[in-house]
Amino acid sequence: MLNYIPRQDIDGEQFTLLPVSISALQHYSYCPRQCALIHQEQQFSDNIHTARGHAVHAVVDIPESDIAKGIPVERALPIYSRQLGLVGKADVVEFRDKVPYPVEYKHGGRRAKIHDDIQLAAQAICLEEMLSISVSRGAIYYFRSRRRREVVIDDELRTLVYQTTLAIRNIMNSEDLPTAFNDARCNECSLYEICQPKALTAQSTIKQMIDDLYNPGDKNE
């Protein structure tokens, strides 16, 4: 392990903020209800997509220090930000001239997804705080194509990380679950049977019909 990585430091001090998992940012960006079911209700279920994700991350889930093509590399590196109350693990961090370059592994096709970019930006922010060094770029590695997509960690992404972290902390402090969407993203979600988006949105529609039926100021006037 590189001697300037405080891998053990995360266990040594208390967070002043309720810790939020970095993976929760990716879940919230995809669907706030999915995030709440996983991180608030502790519910989870696998489907083909999550199973593929597990298989990909098995490649980088073992903590290891290495030198690849002359570049120091850390795998499964614990990271945190006390300022934002973020905790998590970076799949791979390369150190190019001692500047960290996080690489997040994904199983899907090579295309830009904001929820993946937010997760990567959160890793960059954690590394900046831990090492007191600016991190301006990282990459998403797509296992299927064996290709990378570089992501610039700009102010817009940093703001999204901050706003998403606050939103997740509000969910974790609440007893309410976010509303189900019942749209195209639900077809890919492993929590479909737990979430029951179709049934929940149907109930909402029926309730609205009942409310309109007995509303004296309805559309028939």
Side-chain angles (χ1 to χ4, degrees):
M1 183 175 64
L2 299 173
N3 58 14
Y4 48 87
I5 300 298
R7 191 187 287 274
Q8 75 286 356
D9 186 58
I10 194 169
D11 298 323
E13 297 182 29
Q14 296 293 322
F15 277 60
T16 56
L17 296 169
L18 177 65
V20 170
S21 169
I22 291 173
S23 65
L25 275 67
Q26 196 262 2
H27 295 141
Y28 183 93
S29 177
Y30 184 79
C31 170
R33 185 174 174 84
Q34 183 201 65
C35 176
L37 286 169
I38 295 173
H39 298 278
Q40 182 189 41
E41 300 290 324
Q42 305 298 307
Q43 302 268 0
F44 195 76
S45 178
D46 276 317
N47 65 6
I48 185 63
H49 302 296
T50 57
R52 287 172 175 166
H54 295 327
V56 168
H57 280 89
V59 177
V60 289
D61 268 355
I62 299 174
E64 182 182 26
S65 302
D66 195 8
I67 303 292
K69 298 181 180 178
I71 299 175
V73 175
E74 291 283 336
R75 295 185 174 83
L77 181 67
I79 54 177
Y80 61 87
S81 165
R82 287 193 172 83
Q83 293 181 8
L84 292 183
L86 290 172
V87 295
K89 185 170 61 177
D91 289 341
V92 171
V93 181
E94 299 172 351
F95 289 85
R96 304 177 176 185
D97 297 325
K98 296 188 178 182
V99 177
Y101 185 91
V103 182
E104 173 67 20
Y105 275 48
K106 298 296 180 186
H107 73 84
R110 185 178 180 273
R111 62 181 186 274
K113 297 178 180 176
I114 189 64
H115 38 277
D116 293 340
D117 293 359
I118 290 175
Q119 185 180 11
L120 184 71
Q123 294 176 16
I125 290 171
C126 289
L127 289 164
E128 286 181 335
E129 182 177 323
M130 291 169 64
L131 303 175
S132 300
I133 189 170
S134 177
V135 180
S136 60
R137 295 174 184 273
I140 309 292
Y141 175 79
Y142 298 93
F143 195 79
R144 184 189 302 170
S145 62
R146 306 294 198 271
R147 296 180 63 192
R148 291 184 177 191
R149 176 175 60 85
E150 187 169 80
V151 178
V152 176
I153 314 301
D154 58 16
D155 289 343
E156 182 178 358
L157 267 182
R158 293 171 187 274
T159 299
L160 284 173
V161 170
Y162 176 72
Q163 293 173 339
T164 305
T165 302
L166 290 180
I168 294 169
R169 192 166 284 118
N170 287 336
I171 285 178
M172 295 172 68
N173 287 320
S174 169
E175 296 181 354
D176 299 325
L177 285 173
T179 303
F181 285 100
N182 191 29
D183 57 20
R185 83 191 89 172
C186 300
N187 298 329
E188 307 293 324
C189 182
S190 69
L191 302 185
Y192 185 91
E193 295 299 328
I194 297 173
C195 178
Q196 292 293 315
K198 189 174 182 180
L200 289 173
T201 52
Q203 289 177 4
S204 176
T205 301
I206 292 171
K207 181 179 183 304
Q208 186 62 52
M209 292 172 64
I210 293 174
D211 290 345
D212 289 345
L213 180 64
Y214 295 105
N215 185 349
D218 63 16
K219 298 176 182 177
N220 295 325
E221 288 185 349

